[in-house]
Amino acid sequence: MKKTIILLLAAASFASGCSYDELPPKTDDATTDYILPRGVQPTQEETDSVKAARAEYQEAIKQPGL
């Protein structure tokens, strides 16, 4: 009986001793101030192309009779 209890305790301590932390350790020099890159403005031709594609899509999804 004692051997069984000792084996169970050893197995439990072995199973709980193996852990994996997915996150890296935190450091004091980590920053929270991020600078987002400036976006590029689309040209008028690109804007017109998107508007035309959107209008074509909206026309295609209209269901008659609703």
Side-chain angles (χ1 to χ4, degrees), residues 14-25:
F14 177 74
S16 66
C18 300
S19 64
Y20 174 73
D21 190 10
E22 292 181 10
L23 301 175

Side-chain angles (χ1 to χ4, degrees), residues 3-33:
K3 288 182 181 180
T4 306
I5 294 173
I6 292 173
L7 286 173
L8 287 175
L9 289 175
S13 67
F14 177 74
S16 66
C18 300
S19 64
Y20 174 73
D21 190 10
E22 292 181 10
L23 301 175
K26 294 187 178 186
T27 59
D28 292 336
D29 61 347
T31 183
T32 57
D33 299 326

Side-chain angles (χ1 to χ4, degrees), residues 26-44:
K26 294 187 178 186
T27 59
D28 292 336
D29 61 347
T31 183
T32 57
D33 299 326
Y34 300 108
I35 300 173
L36 296 176
R38 293 184 56 95
V40 177
Q41 293 293 328
T43 64
Q44 187 62 38

